[in-house]
Amino acid sequence: GIQVEQSPPDLILQEGANSTLRCNFSDSVNNLQWFHQNPWGQLINLFYIPSGTKQNGRLSATTVATERYSLLYISSSQTTDSGVYFCAVEGVYQLIWGAGTKLIIKP
Amino acid sequence: DSGVTQTPKHLITATGQRVTLRCSPRSGDLSVYWYQQSLDQGLQFLIQYYNGEERAKGNILERFSAQQFPDLHSELNLSSLELGDSALYFCASSVGVADYEQYFGPGTRLTVT
């Protein structure tokens, strides 16, 4: 089955810093999503991005489908950005999840 | 707010008991998915329904079952509960059966004591 790897596993930054999170996947996919799980456990959709580039405020994402990776950029980090960022790709009728990147933003 | 609702938000029960988790998809979505997230782990797919019919099964235990009703809401039934069933249970919905964006509910946190 499809393998999804995320890096780095942990990231600690000061408020205001920028960061890049990476997601590698082992096979071609028609669906790739980025999620933020906040410290209360809520999963928030960030991007649906099987290919191309999208931006939403301080966040942007790029997926290069031919090279099987996706990047999530967070600029001018805020403490509310803390949590775990998951990349998930669609296998057979299900999302297959990476292990996540745990992001801590210090004030 | 994703538009997907789940009840209850929290559930505490004893080993051996049975519980039912409920999910209402976003308006217009026909697919419902159930996922389990154990402590500090990623999400594991359990099962998918599309317009009332089971479409895909993941690592769902035999003690667990689900269904999707004509009004498209779904229920996940967990029986003979064990300590290891303690987890966050998420429901997601999408418009179609595959390759569509999935939207997640707030989850039900189940604690088995």
Side-chain angles (χ1 to χ4, degrees), chain B residues 66-100:
Chain B
Q67 55 182 327
Q68 186 180 27
F69 294 86
D71 66 352
L72 301 177
H73 90 272
S74 178
E75 293 180 357
L76 178 67
N77 300 296
L78 315 176
S79 62
S80 303
L81 286 167
E82 302 175 358
L83 295 178
D85 297 328
S86 296
L88 259 174
Y89 291 84
F90 287 100
C91 168
S93 73
S94 68
V95 170
V97 68
D99 299 336
Y100 290 91

Side-chain angles (χ1 to χ4, degrees), chain A residues 30-31 33 35 37 40-43 45 47-48 86 90-95 97-99, chain B residues 33 35 37 41-43 45 48 55-56 88 90 97-104 106 109:
Chain A
N30 294 320
N31 177 6
Q33 294 185 238
F35 297 89
Q37 187 167 36
W40 297 270
Q42 186 181 11
L43 269 176
N45 287 47
F47 295 101
Y48 170 75
F86 288 105
E90 184 146 354
V92 181
Y93 301 128
Q94 61 176 286
L95 286 177
W97 299 73
Chain B
Y33 310 77
Y35 292 86
Q37 184 181 32
Q41 293 188 13
L43 278 75
F45 169 71
Q48 181 206 12
R55 274 295 177 138
L88 259 174
F90 287 100
V97 68
D99 299 336
Y100 290 91
E101 185 170 5
Q102 293 185 25
Y103 294 86
F104 282 74
R109 189 176 295 275

Side-chain angles (χ1 to χ4, degrees), chain B residues 12-32:
Chain B
I12 301 174
T13 189
T15 54
Q17 295 299 305
R18 171 189 168 97
V19 297
T20 298
L21 313 183
R22 182 187 170 102
C23 167
S24 292
R26 293 187 322 153
S27 176
D29 284 358
L30 298 179
S31 272
V32 169

